Amino acid sequence: MNPQGERWTAEQVLALAPDAASRTAGGKLAAAGTWSGAGAHGQAVWGLCSGSGSKPYQTVVDLNGPGYRCGCPSRKVPCKHVLGLLLLWASGEGGVPAGGEPPEWAEQWLGSRRERAEKLAAGARDGGPGPGGGARDGAGKGGSGGAADPEAARRRAERRAQRIAAGATELERRLADLLRDGLASADRAGYGAWDETAARMIDAQAPGLEARVRELAAIPSSGPGWPARLLEECALAHLLNQGFLHLDRLPEKLAATTRTRVGLTTPVAELLATEETIRDRWLVLGRQDGTDGRLTTRRIWLRGERTHRMALLLSFSTPGQSPELALPTGLVLDADLAYYPAARPLRAAIGTRHEEVAEAASPVAPPAAEGCEVPGAPEGCDVETALVAYGAALGEDPWLDGWPVVLADVVPVPGDDGWQLADERSGSALPVDPRCAGRTDLWQLMAISGGGPVTVFGECGHRGFSPITTWDPTPVSLIGTAAQGGTR
């Protein structure tokens, strides 16, 4: 069971799959005849799946993470057997009955995860290694446990800062050359010159600057009005370069934002050891995966039930693997979060997860079992409030692409000039981000609305609104083809 004592939906299970082939294969294994000794208790689900070997595959899932372990040789995380078991469990007690204790082989792995989580949490409080996300087998790869040399760490940080500063200086020269030759030259230059500049940003260990260079390279082929967009992005890149080259002149929080934007981040263990954590019941509002060909990035948005604060969790994996952090949309997580330092904090890391759930009812949760009340959508705001929230955040972080908001009582409306979300209360409308054009899930959103008002979660930015989740009345992910680009 999840923290609300309810089983997940099939959609939430399939959202964990690393690829479409795994979803298909997992669906074929979601049959009671394939499994023996299956059961569920608390946060654990287990079962034996008959496979090609002489012995069945031992499959166990810790929903608190989640984490997975399977005896099959597959390198995919989670594998098709894990997905099949969870799909069978999601279908009801007829497939995976609740109650009873896990078998010895499952309890051994679950117990090791609990012990390791306790040690990692204690280590994070003492400045040691911090907790990670869910893993396939939960096996830790611990080191010797010796303390790091602070002087050596300081020297490494200084060397990297020097390399990034050199990269920012070189990018400044590239921008100056572009403006001197005229923006029209960017259309003729092609990707070659930009690729070389991006490669130099990689050498400078400045992934944030590299991402901006690649976005600059794509603008000349982005359609009508590209010179204005290119000039805007050049200005923002110049602002970031100058900000990093003059960090000592910036307020502390803006300096932290600038470091993050060029690609410098605080290790999770250090973050949890030095920053104040906030405990709340965090509602998972949405999830979106994106890839640049080298890494898959998973973004998970949360909102605190008590604090009403938004939070963004990031996790990464290589192509073909599912990122470790896998929190289904609609889940309510009782946990401590630590925010990364920033002028407008949003990105966070999960610290301690608490087993006990507060008595207050959640505004939304995954569908309840038969006979239980199905809660509605979370509380949202109108278009004007969403724009005010984005404007306030943008005033503190000029490189912000969008700010997460929940819109209530909006009607999706298609048109010749693009989609809009109309606010029937005020008569105003918010345009949908043009990068979302062609997404089939916009028509899905319209079908769910039936021409009436719906609640939609997404990001509100200078291009418009990017829908991520709606409610019908339970969460429906709108992730058909995600809008590209993570910077302004």
Side-chain angles (χ1 to χ4, degrees), residues 116-132 142-143 145-146 268-270 272-273:
R116 186 166 54 258
E118 292 171 358
K119 291 179 180 178
L120 288 174
R125 289 191 295 270
D126 297 335
V268 173
E270 180 181 339
L272 295 174

Side-chain angles (χ1 to χ4, degrees), residues 395-421:
E396 296 181 327
D397 181 356
W399 304 283
L400 187 67
D401 187 54
W403 188 257
V405 295
V406 179
L407 292 176
D409 297 328
V410 291
V411 180
V413 180
D416 295 337
D417 297 327
W419 286 76
Q420 294 184 331
L421 296 176

Side-chain angles (χ1 to χ4, degrees), residues 1-301:
M1 296 293 178
N2 63 21
Q4 289 75 53
E6 301 156 352
R7 301 194 179 211
W8 295 355
T9 65
E11 290 77 11
Q12 290 169 334
V13 173
L14 293 174
L16 305 177
D19 51 41
S22 297
R23 286 192 288 270
T24 302
K28 294 179 180 179
L29 294 176
T34 308
W35 296 87
S36 61
H41 179 74
Q43 296 294 297
V45 184
W46 63 87
L48 300 171
C49 183
S50 57
S52 57
S54 58
K55 295 183 179 180
Y57 297 133
Q58 296 177 342
T59 306
V60 57
V61 180
D62 181 359
L63 299 175
N64 185 19
Y68 332 97
R69 183 173 185 239
C70 182
C72 75
S74 174
R75 296 176 63 87
K76 294 185 177 181
V77 183
C79 67
K80 62 182 181 180
H81 305 98
V82 168
L83 294 172
L85 176 61
L86 286 176
L87 285 171
L88 185 62
W89 168 73
S91 67
E93 294 196 13
V96 179
E101 296 297 326
E104 182 179 355
W105 56 268
E107 179 55 37
Q108 183 177 3
W109 177 78
L110 292 166
S112 67
R113 276 181 59 85
R114 287 192 295 268
E115 292 176 5
R116 186 166 54 258
E118 292 171 358
K119 291 179 180 178
L120 288 174
R125 289 191 295 270
D126 297 335
R136 172 183 172 80
D137 59 6
K141 296 182 180 179
S144 60
D149 182 353
E151 180 61 24
R154 184 189 63 80
R155 290 195 299 268
R156 286 194 301 271
E158 287 182 352
R159 288 194 296 268
R160 184 178 180 189
Q162 292 170 358
R163 285 192 290 268
I164 295 176
T169 301
E170 181 167 347
L171 181 54
E172 283 290 272
R173 288 195 295 267
R174 177 74 176 87
L175 294 174
D177 291 343
L178 173 64
L179 296 177
R180 184 185 62 250
D181 296 339
L183 294 180
S185 64
D187 192 24
R188 299 190 298 269
Y191 285 92
W194 290 113
D195 282 343
E196 180 181 353
T197 304
R200 293 183 181 276
M201 297 304 105
I202 295 176
D203 294 339
Q205 295 182 286
L209 295 181
E210 180 216 353
R212 292 203 162 269
V213 169
R214 297 199 181 280
E215 185 160 337
L216 288 169
I219 291 176
S221 59
S222 63
W226 68 263
R229 291 193 295 275
L230 181 60
L231 184 60
E232 291 174 359
E233 294 300 332
C234 285
L236 287 170
H238 169 67
L239 183 65
L240 183 57
N241 292 334
Q242 291 299 314
F244 188 79
L245 293 172
H246 303 91
L247 279 176
D248 55 334
R249 303 181 188 177
L250 299 180
E252 180 181 352
K253 292 185 177 180
L254 183 57
T257 298
T258 305
R259 292 189 189 96
T260 299
R261 291 298 183 182
V262 300
L264 289 172
T265 57
T266 306
V268 173
E270 180 181 339
L271 180 75
L272 295 174
T274 58
E275 296 295 326
E276 179 184 1
T277 59
I278 299 174
R279 180 177 178 180
D280 206 337
R281 285 165 47 85
W282 301 93
L283 168 65
V284 181
L285 290 170
R287 194 181 86 176
Q288 202 169 68
D289 290 353
T291 181
D292 60 3
R294 294 171 300 171
L295 279 178
T296 296
T297 302
R298 172 165 293 165
R299 308 168 74 200
I300 298 177
W301 291 268

Side-chain angles (χ1 to χ4, degrees), residues 449-468:
S449 75
V454 290
T455 298
V456 184
F457 165 73
E459 287 190 307
C460 181
H462 67 286
R463 297 184 182 94
F465 187 85
S466 298
I468 297 171

Side-chain angles (χ1 to χ4, degrees), residues 419 433-443 481:
W419 286 76
D433 190 329
R435 296 174 298 174
C436 300
R439 282 173 42 171
T440 56
D441 50 68
L442 291 177
W443 293 103
T481 305

